[in-house]
Amino acid sequence: MNDSIAIKVDAVSKQYNDHTVALQEVDLEVRRGELFGLIGPDGAGKTTLIRILCSLILADSGRASVEDWDVVKDYRKIRSNIGYMPGRFSLYQDLSVEENLRFFATTFGTTIRANYDLIKDIYVQIEPFKKRKAGKLSGGMKQKLALSCALIHKPKVLLLDEPTTGVDAVSRKEFWEMLKQLRDKGITILVSTPYMDEASMCERVALIQEGRIMDVASPEEIIRKFDKELLAIRTNKMYQLIGDLRQMEQTHSAFPFGDFVHLATREKIDETSLRQYLRDKGHTSIQMKPIEPNIEDCFMDLMI
Amino acid sequence: MEKSISVNQLTKRFGKFTAVDAISFEVDKGEIFGFLGANGAGKTTAIRMLTGLSKPTAGKAMVAGFDIQRQREKVKRKIGYMSQKFSLYEDLTVRENIVLYGGIYGLPNKVIREKSGLMLENLELKEVSKTLVKSLPLGWKQKLAFSVAIMHDPAIVFLDEPTGGVDPITRRQFWEMIYEAADTGVTVFVTTHYMDEAEYCDRVSIMVDGRIAAMDTPYQLKKDFQAKSMNDVFLQLVRPEKSTAL
Amino acid sequence: MKRMRAFIQKEFYHIFRDRRSLLILLGMPVVLVTLFGFAITNEIQNADLVVLDPSKDEMSTEITRRLVASGYFDLYKEAQNIKEVEKSFIFSKTKLAIIYPDQQAKDFQKEGYAQIQLLADATEPNTATTLINYASSIIKDYQMEVNGLQGRPPLIQPEIRMLYNPQLKSVFMFVPGVMTVILMLVSAMMTSIAITREKELGTMEILLVSPLSPAIIVVGKVIPYIALAFFNTLVILLLGTYVFGMPIEGSLVLLLAECVLFVLTSLALGILISTRTNSQQVAMMISLIALMLPTVLLSGFIFPIESMPWPLQWLSNIIPAKWFIIIIKNIMLKGTGVDFVWKETLILVGMTFFFIAASVRNFKIRLE
């Protein structure tokens, strides 16, 4: 076994009883000490994959291991050596912050004090509220507490299922900063997220859609692989603009991206003639600029 | 321009805590207005007041031409509401959901029949009209939920985090539907804390601690704050001391 | 061990912080026992009495006078024959009839040996028993007085016949019954709900993905409820004994040990339910329908098993509560020891092991 690999997934498939296919022949390798993003929309199979890695559910076929422990055979080893944070806030709402943390510490046969240095940076932010019931915390603070609980036994690998869903932008940003610090301490982190923009926070990402992994690479590499020309266009009639662009022959795709429409073409398109075309269609105040794709452009390109 | 919503010094206090602190803004007819804020910034309280579910402590607001305090029932008839999670009955079929909502808003049977036919056609849901909603993919559900929310031709439709979690293509298809509706004159009021949803709005307001901290087009806001994305704008407003980009 | 302690502590936090449930758990036994207790022991007054007294001799008129004078009975009618007695049972609110022997019978039975018949409407068994008890004691008093004067063996022996419900249950049925229901409720329902709540909240996911073994999770969940159920047992016994005069003829230690056994049986059932369900709502429905209803209806608590159709009688055998009620009735009322209840005890032990084995088989160390 290669000892630089922390998580290995080999041809894992999973189908649920109601015949929904969650994972199809998924292969994945996460390197030791890496901050790895599993990026895809709801229902793509992220939660299923993470649960298989936690030994919470069994795959129909294929093999997976965490730190060389097989997720089926060595599930006890895995359970005492990973930190897991489920997608839903899963701590005891009627216990206080401190009680929750102490309970999980004891569960793993340790104490808060013994591992305080690892959680310190996170826990100090919620410590002023340590007597407060977990159910009464704000979304961001709940996440911090959940992360502290997942870290209390100094796990080598952290598996986080959509930790930033439902959390506001400020807390999301803080959360990613905490993850980076943990990564710097040598913990391997696999984190799933539906937010494409969070890809840039990871060293490598897997783009997952409908149970298949479409690509695995660093965010920069994924962007580099994008093989189309991209123009961001904005006019006074945005809704009409989408339709007008799609009518053009050269168009590969045209999708709204906030206040611009991203037009992807196989060949470089002549901006002057495009402007003329749009003016003919009745658009005014036309803005147009070639842009670098972002992860979302790439994700969509892989989907089409 | 005709005003669809006008809010003047609207305030809501719970005891000593001021959840919404004298906010004022106007939304044009056919505009897509993003109403943003962190968790607990007062968004939900403000929306509850605008939809007539909660009484303001002070101030005044007109929604679709009616006073939200004195003409609550009329306001309710002129608005539609869609939230990502709770809009459709999962254990009813697609058609049953449509008929149910038509009935709730008191549309005549004939109209319901016409509209549901048209809706199923436009959404390409004809094949699955007898399928339970719970077995539809999330993206389809959202489109159906939106169509149902504007079925009774409301003047304003309130959308609560409409596209969180869906894949990027479905999300765009959904926004195109919203654009289309806005194009026909429906005012769209989007509340969300997903900043990337905010990018799609014509104009956004950002609430911080019960007040509106900024209000403009996403384009202009990004320019003013010298930010790459609405996320950065938001971070600068909420956490001015640490304004590095995400 | 430390893990177990932490787990149990956490469990007690849950229980004590959910004030409403706690109030129900601790208040319910008191309320139920009191309700049942007063419903039964409330003095019955002015019950309609029918008298059939063909001879109208000194004895019969005196007894009738005393019955009416006691305040418990109102003389509703003096019947002329047995047909009329029957009619008044059917068409009026007559609760008790007293039938004196006629002159011939009296003459026939020399030595003044008389037979008085008491007929009670046992559609309300508890009322019937109470009235019979009143009437018998009044008759006995009279008898004593007469005997005392003349120093002769008892003259009158009341013969009691229960109508409509020949296997009339004891007046003290309710204490064992309520205790059974409450122990079942606290143990089976509350544990099944407590475990499924962890599944519903998602905390079970975290517990599974921790080094805690399933045994610790289950035992840790269950111990607080054993304590709670035991506390309830004590409260019920105290109330029964001191407020309602319920006797505990047999060994208290044996009684408590049997209670703990039944608590374990119920807990095992609760765990079994929780291994098969994922939501609190379903757990509660199953507990109510599959456990509580049979416990109330088929255990002999309210309806006597002897008068059930045979399929139900047969079914009642698999209901733990039936055996428990037999056991505690024997211990409390008859004062019997282990030698008389070992069979039932063994059945409960067997059931407990069966449920535990089934739960262990069903307990999932994974999510599905």
Side-chain angles (χ1 to χ4, degrees), chain C residues 104-360:
Chain C
Q104 286 166 334
K106 246 172 149 182
D107 289 344
F108 181 71
Q109 292 170 336
K110 300 282 171 169
E111 303 293 310
Y113 182 83
Q115 206 171 41
I116 297 176
Q117 211 177 19
L118 290 175
L119 295 177
D121 174 0
T123 44
E124 292 169 45
N126 299 317
T127 314
T129 336
T130 316
L131 289 178
I132 292 283
N133 284 340
Y134 291 162
S136 322
S137 73
I138 288 169
I139 294 168
K140 239 180 236 160
D141 278 352
Y142 170 73
Q143 194 179 320
M144 295 284 279
E145 276 172 40
V146 175
N147 289 350
L149 286 176
Q150 301 177 358
R152 279 195 289 164
L155 263 182
I156 310 162
Q157 270 194 348
E159 181 203 322
I160 301 158
R161 275 175 60 199
M162 294 291 175
L163 296 180
Y164 310 127
N165 183 359
Q167 296 290 324
L168 187 74
K169 290 291 143 181
S170 158
V171 67
F172 292 126
M173 196 55 229
F174 79 93
V175 170
V178 169
M179 200 152 86
T180 312
V181 169
I182 285 174
L183 293 187
M184 191 63 143
L185 199 75
V186 172
S187 314
M189 190 154 121
M190 295 315 289
T191 40
S192 67
I193 289 177
I195 296 179
T196 43
R197 182 171 51 210
E198 298 241 11
K199 291 190 184 177
E200 229 173 60
L201 290 175
T203 43
M204 191 53 105
E205 230 174 294
I206 302 254
L207 293 182
L208 287 177
V209 183
S210 77
L212 285 182
S213 69
I216 292 193
I217 297 179
V218 169
V219 175
K221 274 285 1 129
V222 150
I223 285 181
Y225 289 98
I226 296 183
L228 214 58
F230 193 73
F231 177 78
N232 276 338
T233 310
L234 291 181
V235 168
I236 296 171
L237 287 179
L238 282 175
L239 272 179
T241 334
Y242 289 105
V243 181
F244 300 108
M246 171 89 188
I248 300 179
E249 302 286 350
S251 143
L252 184 63
V253 176
L254 178 63
L255 179 64
L256 291 180
E258 295 283 359
C259 288
V260 170
L261 171 62
F262 182 65
V263 166
L264 289 177
T265 318
S266 312
L267 287 172
L269 252 175
I271 297 167
L272 182 60
I273 291 175
S274 68
T275 59
R276 307 291 301 182
T277 51
N278 284 318
S279 79
Q280 293 185 63
Q281 217 181 354
V282 176
M284 186 143 101
M285 289 303 288
I286 293 182
S287 305
L288 277 178
I289 291 168
L291 297 183
M292 292 311 290
L293 282 183
T295 301
V296 171
L297 301 178
L298 294 180
S299 65
F301 166 32
I302 291 181
F303 304 110
I305 293 171
E306 294 85 340
S307 55
M308 287 175 193
W310 70 264
L312 288 184
Q313 288 202 27
W314 181 84
L315 196 64
S316 73
N317 286 329
I318 60 165
I319 302 208
K322 171 189 167 172
W323 306 106
F324 180 61
I325 287 186
I326 294 176
I327 294 171
I328 50 174
K329 254 172 57 192
N330 270 314
I331 298 175
M332 292 177 84
L333 301 176
K334 297 187 191 156
T336 49
V338 191
D339 39 342
F340 277 92
V341 292
W342 65 269
K343 231 189 286 171
E344 287 81 4
T345 308
L346 219 57
I347 292 176
L348 279 186
V349 171
M351 284 178 164
T352 311
F353 277 111
F354 173 77
F355 294 139
I356 289 178
S359 317
V360 169

Side-chain angles (χ1 to χ4, degrees), chain A residues 14 51 55-58 72 75 79-80 84 86 88 90 92 94-95 99 103-104 106-109 133, chain C residues 2-3 6-7 10 13-14 17 198 200 202-203 205-212 365-368:
Chain A
K14 175 76 189 172
R51 284 183 168 173
S55 78
L56 274 175
I57 56 179
L58 294 174
V72 184
Y75 74 94
R79 291 179 182 189
S80 13
Y84 168 55
R88 232 162 10 137
S90 302
Y92 296 101
D94 54 345
L95 299 193
E99 286 162 353
F103 172 68
F104 284 105
T106 321
T107 297
F108 283 93
K133 302 270 192 318
Chain C
K2 211 171 156 207
R3 289 178 181 167
F7 201 100
K10 166 199 87 94
Y13 282 147
H14 291 321
R17 286 184 187 167
E198 298 241 11
E200 229 173 60
T203 43
E205 230 174 294
I206 302 254
L207 293 182
L208 287 177
V209 183
S210 77
L212 285 182
I365 54 161
R366 297 196 164 81
L367 277 182
E368 38 174 24

Side-chain angles (χ1 to χ4, degrees), chain C residues 20-35:
Chain C
R20 212 177 316 157
S21 304
L22 186 66
L23 196 71
I24 293 174
L25 277 180
L26 296 181
M28 189 174 49
V30 179
V31 172
L32 275 186
V33 171
T34 318
L35 270 180

